[in-house]
Amino acid sequence: MAEKGEVPYKTYLEENELPSAWYNIRADMKKKPEPLLDPATFKPVTAEALEHVFCKELVRQELDDTTRFIPIPEEVQKFYRMFRPSPLVRAYFLEKALDTPAKIYYKFEGNNTSGSHKLNSAVAQAYYAKQQGLRGVTTETGAGQWGTALSMACAFYGLDCNVFMVKCSYEQKPFRREVMRTYGASVTPSPSMETEAGRRINAAHPGTTGSLGCAISEAVEAALSRDGYRYVLGSVLAQVLLHQSIIGLEAKTAFDKISEKPDVVIGCAGGGSNLGGLIAPFMGEKLRGESDCRFIAVEPASCPSLTRGRYAYDFCDTGKVCPLQKMYTLGHDFIPSASHAGGLRYHGMSAILSELYDQKMMEAVAVEQTDVFAAAENFARIEGILPAPESSHAIKAAIDEALLCKAQGRRETILFGLTGTGYFDMTAYAKYNDAQMSDTVPTDADLEASFASLPEVR
Ligand SMILES: *Cc1c(COP(=O)(O)O)cnc(C)c1O
C-alpha cells in the first residue's frame, strides 16, 4: 500500500515495544481532580471505605495521583498479547475521499471478541480481583461492550460475573447478552426488581428503559450484599483511564516509529475512558509544556455532559450509593433519550477529563445521531470497518476537522480513536437505513430540572 516515503497503512509494534507500565496522567497535572467524597458524609472517602466496594489494589490505583508509571502485572501483559498491540491505521482512503490535505490516523480497538477497548481494563480488574481471592464481581453494562469484555476476563481467571444491563440495550441487543452468557456471566436487565435501588427507580420512573446510572446502583448493591464479591466499573474512574493509557502509549510509540506526531487527537466520550487513555501521553507532553497538541471530546447531543453540563460534585449513580466526584454532569437523575450509542449515555464524565476541560486543555463538541450514522456508513464503505455507534461520534468529528483543514488549506495530522465494531448494533443501522432515526436533544428546561437534583456540597 505505502508508496516511497509514505508511512504504511498500518503500523504495529513488536512485542518488545509494548508498554510494560500504564501512565497515570494525574502525576503531570498541577491542579489535580478533586477527591472523591463519601456519599453519606460528603467527606473525602478513605481507602478503607472504598475497599468494601472495590478491589484493594484498584482502590490504591484510584487514590494515587502522584505515581507517573504503574507497572502492568506480568500476567496482564501476557493477556494483552492475545489481542494487542492494536494497529495505528493511516486512513489513506478516507483522506482521498474527503480530498483533504490533512493526514488522518486512527487507533483501532475493535480487534478482539468483545469488540472494543473495554477489554484493556476488564483484564486488569479481573486480575486484581482474582489476586485478592474474591469469588466474583458485579457490574453494569450500557451497550453491552463492558459486560462482554468483563465476562471474557472473568472466564479467563475463573471468577463469577454478574452483569446488570441497561434495559433498552438488553432488549435491542439480545446477541450481546448471549455472548456474555457464553463466557459464563449472568445478565439481568436494569432497572430490575432484584435490588432496592432497582425497585425504587422502577417506582419513580415506571416503564423506564434504564440508564447507566441506575445499573451502577444495582450492581454496587449486589456486590455489597454478597460475600466475596466486589463491584467493578468499566469507565469514569481514574483507574480505568489508567488501564486505558495502553491505547495512547502504543499510539505514541507507533507515531515515533514513523516519525510523526498528531496535531489534534479526537475521541468519543461516554465516561471518558477511551479518550482519557488515548490522549494520556500526548496530554502529558502538553501539561509539561512540550507540545501544543489539541484534544477534542465528542459526545452525543442527547447526553451533552461536557458541552452543556455543570462542573460540580455529583453522585456517580442514580441510586446515590457510589462516592461523589467533581465532574461535568447533567445531574444524576438525568435519563437520556434511548439513543443508539448506549456506551455514551452517562450523565457525568471522568473527573480527570472534567478537570482538563475546565482548565481549557481540551475542547468538546456535541453531535447528533443521524449525522453520526451518516459518517459511520461513509467510513464503513470507504475504510472497510463497520464502526460502533459510539466510535462513529469520533469519526464524525474527525471528518469535520479534516474538511475544515481542506477549507482552510491546513496540513494537519489528525488522530482519532476507533473504539470498536458495530456488529451488535445492526438494529440501529436498520433504523438509519429505513430513515426512521430521530435526534432527541434535551431542552434547557429538561437540563434545569435535572440540575436541581445536584447535591449541595460545600
Ligand atoms: C463504552 C464504549 C465507549 C464509551 O466509553 P468511554 O469510557 O467514554 O470510552 C466508546 N466506544 C465503545 C465502542 C464503547 O464500548
Side-chain angles (χ1 to χ4, degrees):
M1 172 71 223
E3 289 168 24
K4 197 163 181 295
E6 284 191 331
V7 302
Y9 187 74
K10 284 183 184 170
T11 305
Y12 281 103
L13 305 182
E14 302 298 325
E15 284 205 355
N16 63 6
E17 294 171 317
L18 295 179
S20 56
W22 293 298
Y23 168 58
N24 184 4
I25 182 93
R26 289 169 294 173
D28 279 311
M29 291 173 72
K30 280 195 202 82
K31 183 164 180 285
K32 319 251 185 217
E34 299 289 332
L36 296 170
L37 300 184
D38 187 295
T41 62
F42 286 8
K43 296 254 160 51
V45 285
T46 59
E48 196 197 350
L50 282 177
E51 283 169 13
H52 293 297
V53 183
F54 299 102
C55 304
K56 222 177 166 116
E57 182 58 26
L58 293 167
V59 169
R60 212 183 55 73
Q61 294 180 356
E62 191 64 32
L63 299 179
D64 183 345
D65 60 10
T66 54
T67 308
R68 189 170 275 125
F69 286 99
I70 296 181
I72 305 173
E74 198 69 33
E75 274 200 51
V76 174
Q77 289 190 47
K78 283 186 186 152
F79 193 119
Y80 277 165
R81 275 160 209 216
M82 288 200 281
F83 68 102
R84 307 202 68 83
S86 73
L88 178 72
V89 185
R90 174 78 182 267
Y92 282 117
F93 296 112
L94 182 60
E95 289 170 17
K96 188 149 178 253
L98 299 174
D99 188 26
T100 175
K103 297 187 246 178
I104 307 175
Y105 291 87
Y106 58 89
K107 180 81 168 150
F108 179 48
E109 291 292 318
N111 271 333
N112 67 76
T113 296
S114 75
S116 82
H117 66 286
K118 299 249 172 32
L119 192 55
N120 299 330
S121 186
V123 175
Q125 298 199 40
Y127 169 80
Y128 290 122
K130 187 66 183 177
Q131 285 299 101
Q132 194 176 327
L134 297 176
R135 258 200 282 163
V137 292
T138 69
T139 199
E140 80 298 329
T141 195
Q145 285 96 327
W146 168 247
T148 309
L150 188 68
S151 307
M152 290 174 68
C154 285
F156 189 79
Y157 290 115
L159 285 165
D160 186 31
C161 181
N162 300 162
V163 181
F164 288 87
M165 186 170 186
V166 176
K167 198 178 273 170
C168 71
S169 295
Y170 185 90
E171 286 160 4
Q172 277 173 7
K173 303 183 179 186
F175 294 148
R176 272 267 171 224
R177 181 179 73 215
E178 287 321 310
V179 178
M180 288 183 251
R181 292 177 61 208
T182 300
Y183 281 96
S186 69
V187 189
T188 310
S190 165
S192 76
M193 299 303 278
E194 287 180 20
T195 66
E196 254 322 297
R199 287 189 288 272
R200 219 167 37 224
I201 292 159
N202 270 318
H205 305 271
T208 177
T209 50
S211 70
L212 274 177
C214 301
I216 293 173
S217 304
E218 290 208 88
V220 171
E221 187 184 322
L224 286 171
S225 63
R226 290 173 208 166
D227 253 3
Y229 282 75
R230 290 294 185 280
Y231 165 70
V232 294
L233 180 57
S235 182
V236 186
L237 295 176
Q239 59 188 268
V240 185
L241 270 72
L242 175 73
H243 305 147
Q244 295 297 356
S245 70
I246 186 97
I247 305 172
L249 292 166
E250 282 184 7
K252 175 94 175 51
T253 309
F255 269 118
D256 289 346
K257 277 178 81 156
I258 54 173
S259 307
E260 272 271 33
K261 68 182 176 73
D263 298 304
V264 53
V265 184
I266 299 172
C268 62
S273 74
N274 87 82
L275 180 62
L278 175 67
I279 70 175
F282 304 105
M283 180 63 88
E285 290 184 327
K286 182 164 170 141
L287 287 165
R288 297 190 301 270
E290 297 160 15
S291 98
D292 58 358
C293 187
R294 288 167 58 218
F295 303 96
I296 306 176
V298 192
E299 56 186 15
S302 58
C303 193
S305 47
L306 286 171
T307 51
R308 293 176 68 198
R310 297 252 172 97
Y311 191 34
Y313 264 109
D314 195 10
F315 294 96
C316 292
D317 62 316
T318 314
K320 309 187 201 181
V321 291
C322 283
L324 289 84
Q325 83 174 3
K326 187 166 179 199
M327 60 182 171
Y328 275 85
T329 177
L330 298 167
H332 57 272
D333 278 344
F334 183 78
I335 297 191
S337 62
S339 85
H340 294 288
L344 304 182
R345 295 178 80 233
Y346 182 63
H347 67 272
M349 183 56 62
S350 142
I352 295 174
L353 291 188
S354 293
E355 179 54 37
L356 290 168
Y357 180 64
D358 197 57
Q359 292 177 18
K360 310 239 177 326
M361 298 296 283
M362 187 178 83
E363 305 157 38
V365 293
V367 292
E368 294 196 4
Q369 136 166 293
T370 42
D371 296 336
V372 166
F373 275 82
E377 280 204 352
N378 228 342
F379 186 82
R381 293 174 193 183
I382 295 166
E383 284 285 322
I385 294 173
L386 179 76
E390 292 86 354
S391 322
S392 306
H393 287 68
I395 296 175
K396 162 72 181 142
I399 290 176
D400 287 350
E401 182 70 20
L403 291 175
L404 194 65
C405 287
K406 178 178 171 180
Q408 300 174 340
R410 278 186 296 129
R411 182 141 213 245
E412 191 168 75
T413 299
I414 300 170
L415 165 65
F416 74 89
L418 187 63
T419 51
T421 48
Y423 301 119
F424 292 111
D425 300 284
M426 298 324 289
T427 312
Y429 276 91
K431 278 248 163 63
Y432 177 75
N433 291 332
D434 292 339
Q436 282 179 357
M437 185 169 276
S438 57
D439 298 306
T440 315
V441 179
T443 63
D444 288 341
D446 293 339
L447 295 184
E448 283 306 322
S450 68
F451 290 147
S453 71
L454 286 174
E456 282 206 29
V457 177
R458 290 185 312 119

